Amino acid sequence: MLSGLSRSLSLQKGLKILGTSRSIINTTVIRNSYTNNKIKIKMADLVEQSKKLAAYSAVDDNLQPEYKVIGIGSGSTVVYVTERIGQLENKQNFTCIPTGFQSKQLIIDNGLKLGSIEEFSEIDIAFDGADEIDTSLNCIKGGGACLLQEKLVADCSKRFIVVADYRKKSPEMLGHAWKKGVPIEVVPSAYNKILRELKLVGGNPTVRPGGAAKAGPVITDNGNFIIDCDFGEIPVNKVKELNDKIKAMVGVVETGLFVGMCKRCYIGEVDGSISTLKTNAGKL
Ligand code: 5RP
């Protein structure tokens, strides 16, 4: 189905790290195993390369021709997921369900059929990125403020596949690499009460600011605020308990803790290889 593309993907798979990367100079040397040439590559390009590898591999391994409804996540890694899906010859045979404004644009820009979660609440497969992934494939998501639709689409999907670059894989617990806290979508009028309640359960919460071009907080696609709450490192066996506590707070719409939802995750590694992480929990 992906005629003419496998070579370019395997060309990328052939890139091997020769030296130890040194972030201080922000470049590393890799070898293209097809031409045998050494190439100096910026670390930023390496991250992009690993995102693309993870995304292309996840689509190639998991998207079956009989699937009719596909969930599309949000973020920079999913850009490569939609790019790959957009290369499929049968792309008019299935409908894609977005998880936010950016995701909708990606579906349109790649010539895919756009549907909505209101029409299709049963999804064959969904692909999404993550901010951090622990050893049980629990994830922190919501760095792009799309966590509510992302969780809705993941929940409606028979299979939920996460794609990410090597920086997202935690050696053990959530909160190890991702230091911005757990994103929590809240009803605006409840934000002050929820800040107080989050502190009572050991968190250090802040309302996510809108940035230079927006006075006041970020407003989500659903008209809500995002609170980022730092809980330090969250042991794998405590993620569900923490999620349940936050969800019980009145005014919380959804949390960015995706507990036991993902059963397979594709990581683009720093050496140009791909790791596939699997667990018995989650959806596959
Ligand atoms: C958006 C998300 C994204 O999936 C997450 O932030 C990962 O993004 P990226 O692929 O750009 O690292 O949860 O709300």
Side-chain angles (χ1 to χ4, degrees):
M1 254 196 317
L2 290 162
S3 51
L5 291 161
S6 53
R7 188 175 140 62
S8 64
L9 180 62
S10 51
L11 187 76
Q12 291 150 20
K13 277 183 180 169
L15 296 175
K16 294 276 182 258
I17 297 287
L18 292 180
T20 311
S21 60
R22 285 193 292 157
S23 55
I24 195 159
I25 54 169
N26 277 327
T27 62
T28 190
V29 178
I30 60 172
R31 185 192 293 280
N32 184 319
S33 60
Y34 284 75
T35 62
N36 218 23
N37 289 338
K38 290 181 188 176
I39 316 164
K40 202 179 229 184
I41 187 167
K42 287 187 190 145
M43 291 307 287
D45 295 340
L46 203 59
V47 169
E48 282 310 302
Q49 191 74 18
S50 61
K51 287 181 188 184
K52 185 170 179 176
L53 272 176
Y56 272 42
S57 302
V59 172
D60 294 357
D61 286 1
N62 296 286
L63 213 155
Q64 304 296 330
E66 65 271 19
Y67 288 168
K68 294 285 173 240
V69 188
I70 299 171
I72 302 291
S74 302
S76 56
T77 317
V78 165
V79 169
Y80 297 113
V81 167
T82 40
E83 183 177 281
R84 191 57 161 172
I85 296 176
Q87 292 162 354
L88 290 167
E89 285 168 2
N90 72 337
K91 66 180 177 180
Q92 290 314 315
N93 295 353
F94 52 80
T95 302
C96 293
I97 310 302
T99 50
F101 182 85
Q102 177 229 8
S103 166
K104 198 185 277 183
Q105 294 305 310
L106 287 174
I107 293 168
I108 295 167
D109 291 349
N110 283 284
L112 297 163
K113 263 168 62 181
L114 177 67
S116 70
I117 193 76
E118 290 95 329
E119 295 168 272
F120 299 96
S121 65
E122 285 182 79
I123 299 174
D124 292 306
I125 192 165
F127 299 92
D128 207 343
D131 299 306
E132 194 171 19
I133 303 146
D134 74 12
T135 47
S136 290
L137 307 194
N138 298 314
C139 301
I140 293 182
K141 290 184 47 54
C146 303
L147 55 114
L148 171 59
Q149 298 99 307
E150 288 173 341
K151 206 180 259 190
L152 183 58
V153 165
D155 192 45
C156 292
S157 302
K158 292 185 191 121
R159 308 175 77 202
F160 177 55
I161 309 282
V162 167
V163 291
D165 65 78
Y166 53 89
R167 301 168 306 165
K168 309 295 184 65
K169 191 172 59 173
S170 170
E172 199 178 337
M173 325 183 197
L174 297 178
H176 182 87
W178 179 257
K179 296 293 185 195
K180 296 181 183 171
V182 175
I184 303 164
E185 182 156 349
V186 305
V187 170
S189 58
Y191 88 89
N192 211 6
K193 177 202 86 105
I194 293 170
L195 287 176
R196 190 163 38 79
E197 290 177 342
L198 287 168
K199 284 181 196 150
L200 291 176
V201 296
N204 182 18
T206 48
V207 176
R208 190 180 295 182
K214 162 80 171 70
V218 159
I219 307 291
T220 69
D221 289 341
N222 319 298
N224 295 317
F225 290 177
I226 296 286
I227 293 177
D228 292 300
C229 191
D230 182 9
F231 292 98
E233 296 195 347
I234 310 166
V236 174
N237 61 355
K238 298 281 180 204
V239 183
K240 184 178 179 323
E241 187 183 318
L242 177 61
N243 187 55
D244 291 347
K245 271 188 198 162
I246 304 170
K247 288 248 5 202
M249 296 173 187
V250 173
V252 166
V253 181
E254 197 44 86
T255 84
L257 291 172
F258 282 48
V259 189
M261 298 188 92
C262 170
K263 199 172 176 185
R264 184 173 290 184
C265 172
Y266 284 73
I267 304 281
E269 299 288 359
V270 75
D271 66 356
S273 65
I274 297 156
S275 304
T276 310
L277 311 176
K278 294 178 189 171
T279 158
N280 290 331
K283 300 179 173 196
L284 196 68

